[in-house]
Amino acid sequence: MSTKKRRKVIAGNWKMNMTPTEAKELAKGVYEQVKGKKGCDVVVCVPFVDIPAVAQIVKGTIIKLGAQNVHFEEKGAYTGELSADMLKAVGCEYVIVGHSERRQYFAETDQTVNKRALAALNAGLKVIICVGESLQQREEGVTEELVRMQTKIALRDVTAEQMANVVIAYEPIWAIGTGKTATADQAEEVCGQIRKVIGEVYGEAVAEATTVQYGGSMNAKNCEELLSKKDVDGGLIGGASLKAPDFAVIVNAATKG
């Protein structure tokens, strides 16, 4: 399958920012900046409390609504958690799983990332699965081994058909919220390694059809070079997604070519 057939996805991760009132204003701003754009899926992954407010703004537009986490059970005694069915019921189409901040601060493991991904996929959600290495791991030369392992475990029991609803986001931990960014060549190398391991598990056709994003301080200044790379199919955007004009620059870069 030609890489030109692979759809680019630009997803904003708003993290723990924006009250519902603020979220509505930001969503309106994003819509005004990106309406009419083609050739790129635009997603905003917002705090749980903001989902109903943002759903009102993006309904019927090109913007897809996403959440930042999901529990792996359908229901039960899991205080503070939300199920995939709950997210679908309030308009979510996407969900992020395995973000490094979830792994670092909330004890996420490769195994729970897999369980959350499966729960979301089985409920009909699209998942953005995050993988990536720390600075120490990169300096020790184990980036490829680590990312391969994270990807394989995250995709355990995911079918080839379900891979149509999977996005893998390579997010080097050392480049998240630090202002540091992997070079375009570094991003391309690891995204290519991710695609290679998908090919080993599912075959070349699935690998060539799977969207692999870069996430790690992608912004309005560096997005064009990053997105020009063959194996970088979009971005999982943190800080720059909180400014509608900056986010729109990234979306514009993704629609070129």
Side-chain angles (χ1 to χ4, degrees):
M1 183 179 291
S2 169
T3 57
K4 291 184 179 179
K5 299 290 186 182
R6 204 159 59 226
R7 194 161 182 84
K8 291 188 176 179
V9 178
I10 301 297
N13 176 14
W14 292 7
K15 305 192 180 182
M16 195 177 73
N17 294 288
M18 302 288 155
T19 65
T21 300
E22 293 168 337
K24 287 179 72 172
E25 291 305 308
L26 178 55
K28 288 177 183 177
V30 171
Y31 169 69
E32 289 299 324
Q33 294 276 346
V34 306
K35 63 182 179 182
K37 298 297 179 185
K38 297 180 179 180
C40 171
D41 285 352
V42 181
V43 186
V44 290
C45 297
V46 308
F48 290 139
V49 71
D50 294 337
I51 289 172
V54 175
Q56 295 175 14
I57 305 301
V58 304
K59 185 176 182 180
T61 76
I62 68 166
I63 302 171
K64 310 299 184 183
L65 180 60
Q68 298 173 13
N69 190 32
V70 63
H71 199 266
F72 42 78
E73 296 292 351
E74 294 182 5
K75 62 180 67 174
Y78 303 101
T79 301
E81 293 291 328
L82 296 177
S83 71
D85 286 339
M86 291 174 180
L87 296 180
K88 281 192 69 179
V90 291
C92 286
E93 186 172 334
Y94 280 81
V95 63
I96 300 170
V97 296
H99 192 280
S100 64
E101 291 159 1
R102 298 295 311 174
R103 295 176 190 254
Q104 179 180 356
Y105 301 126
F106 303 104
E108 284 279 352
T109 66
D110 293 331
Q111 288 72 28
T112 60
V113 170
N114 170 244
K115 291 172 70 174
R116 292 177 197 274
L118 284 171
L121 289 167
N122 290 336
L125 291 170
K126 295 179 173 66
V127 295
I128 299 173
I129 300 173
C130 301
V131 299
E133 83 285 9
S134 68
L135 181 59
Q136 180 180 349
Q137 289 163 337
R138 172 164 281 275
E139 289 175 343
E140 290 172 350
V142 298
T143 295
E144 181 176 0
E145 294 94 324
L146 179 79
V147 170
R148 283 176 59 87
M149 180 185 71
Q150 289 177 329
T151 303
K152 276 191 169 184
I153 295 174
L155 296 177
R156 182 180 178 185
D157 296 328
V158 174
T159 68
E161 291 73 22
Q162 287 176 319
M163 285 299 293
N165 289 323
V166 172
V167 175
I168 305 292
Y170 167 53
E171 43 154 32
I173 299 169
W174 48 271
I176 298 171
T178 63
K180 296 180 180 179
T181 311
T183 66
D185 287 341
Q186 288 173 326
E188 168 72 2
E189 179 183 15
V190 181
C191 288
Q193 291 165 351
I194 291 168
R195 198 175 310 285
K196 181 179 178 182
V197 74
I198 293 171
E200 291 169 4
V201 176
Y202 297 101
E204 184 177 350
V206 172
E208 287 301 318
T210 300
T211 296
V212 182
Q213 297 175 319
Y214 172 75
S217 297
M218 183 185 286
N219 56 49
K221 293 181 179 179
N222 60 30
C223 60
E224 193 158 344
E225 183 182 10
L226 286 162
L227 291 168
S228 70
K229 293 298 184 179
K230 177 177 68 72
D231 283 309
V232 179
D233 306 317
L236 181 57
I237 316 301
S241 70
L242 300 176
K243 299 176 182 178
D246 287 1
F247 190 62
V249 169
I250 300 171
V251 172
N252 288 340
T255 61
K256 291 183 178 179

